[in-house]
């Protein structure tokens, strides 16, 4: 030390603390300093100078960052998350803090509070040590608007402050009034020919607060499942999408599903009534050509009665029969007579 400011003489054995406040030291920013103390006893003997731990002088606040309110906790870990305009939760506010820095003494803590757009407090200030994701508890209501105020404090006691963009609470999910699955015609699917199916999904959905933002569709083997066609994000504006599903199994029901998300990231799911796939032809029965049993031969001019029994289809049933007469050596196309559901001709 080049100069000393002496303390008042104290008669003690170390039980009391001595303090000194020094002014106008002109210390340099971002420079390490330490204090020295020297004790003198009652007969004038002086101890060596005793140094304190090193102290860094930091006279600047932290670098100003950005307080970003996100709709869900997972969005806080996106590389460049957008500022949320809406959120669905009425109990939590998810916040990520970006670019708050202090190269000298470092960030000691973040102090977060919630206020109305006019500045009136909604939730009192809380202290947090981290910045990647802050889950702030709050009591909010539907359609309430708020902002988040963040103070970043460094270890030297300096602070920087930022206020988030305004956010509105949308506590109601989208409304999906119907979902229909149609074939390429204008008939809703109920029983379809497989194993490959072309279908069109039609839906009606709306959200009067934050609007419809995203729609995903899929197909599964039970309502809500996506084990056949994985979720596919589609444009929500046409309110229809054409799909092709391949390799469906005979005799199995399949159910298209839709997930509709609004601007607050709230989601509504709806499944159609499904359709049954028939990918196998009917099982053959017994055909009898002859009036009194199966005929082995007939004359050159004849009327040949024919009957049949035992044809069956376990999935879609028998819709009709066709009858044709073929020569043993015939090949290629032949004429078929449609007899409907009759059992003979």
């Amino acid at each position: 030390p080049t100069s000393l400011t002496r303390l008042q003489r104290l008669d003690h054995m170390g039980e009391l603390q001595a303090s000194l406040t020094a002014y106008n030291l002109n210390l340099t920013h971002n420079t390490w300093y330490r204090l020295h103390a020297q004790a003198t006893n009652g007969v004038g003997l002086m101890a060596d100078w005793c140094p304190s731990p090193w102290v860094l002088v930091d006279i600047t606040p932290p670098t100003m960052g950005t307080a970003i309110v996100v709709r869900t906790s997972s969005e806080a870990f996106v590389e460049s998350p957008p500022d949320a305009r809406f959120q669905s939760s009425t109990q939590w506010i998810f916040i990520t803090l970006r670019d708050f820095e202090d190269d000298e003494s470092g960030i000691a803590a973040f102090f977060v509070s919630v206020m109305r757009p006019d500045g009136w407090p909604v939730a009192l200030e809380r202290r947090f040590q981290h910045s990647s994701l802050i889950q702030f508890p709050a009591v909010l209501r539907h359609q309430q608007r708020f902002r988040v105020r963040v103070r970043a404090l460094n270890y030297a006691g300096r602070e920087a402050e930022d206020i988030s963009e305004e956010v509105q609470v949308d506590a109601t999910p989208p409304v999906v009034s119907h979902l229909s699955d149609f074939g390429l015609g204008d008939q809703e699917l109920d029983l379809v020919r497989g194993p490959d199916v072309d279908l069109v999904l039609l839906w009606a959905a709306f959200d009067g607060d934050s609007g419809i933002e995203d729609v995903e569709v899929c197909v599964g083997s039970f309502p809500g499942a996506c084990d056949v066609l994985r979720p596919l994000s589609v444009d929500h504006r046409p309110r229809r999408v054409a799909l092709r599903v391949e390799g469906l199994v005979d005799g199995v029901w399949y159910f298209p599903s839709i997930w509709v998300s609004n601007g607050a990231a709230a989601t509504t799911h709806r499944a159609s009534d499904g359709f049954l796939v028939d990918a196998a032809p009917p099982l053959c029965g017994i055909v009898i050509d002859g009036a009194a049993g199966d005929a082995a031969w007939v004359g050159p001019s004849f009327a040949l009665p024919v009957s049949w029994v035992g044809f069956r289809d376990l999935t879609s049933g028998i819709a009709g029969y066709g009858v044709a007469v073929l020569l043993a050596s015939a090949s290629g196309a032949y004429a078929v007579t449609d007899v409907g559901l009759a059992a003979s001709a």
Side-chain angles (χ1 to χ4, degrees), residues 179 200-205 211-218 231-243 257-261:
L179 172 65
V200 176
L201 296 184
L202 303 176
W203 66 86
I212 302 299
E213 183 174 278
D214 184 56
V215 170
E216 288 188 343
V217 297
C218 75
L232 176 67
S233 182
V234 299
D235 187 354
H236 67 88
R237 290 169 294 183
R239 300 185 179 181
R240 61 177 290 149
V241 63
L243 301 174
S257 289
I258 185 174
W259 281 264
V260 179
S261 301

Side-chain angles (χ1 to χ4, degrees), residues 23 49-50 93 106-107 128-129 216 236 238 257 278 289 292 312:
Y23 298 94
W49 288 107
C50 300
I93 300 173
I107 302 293
F128 296 88
Q129 298 297 129
E216 288 188 343
H236 67 88
S257 289
D278 188 349
D289 48 6
R312 58 198 176 101

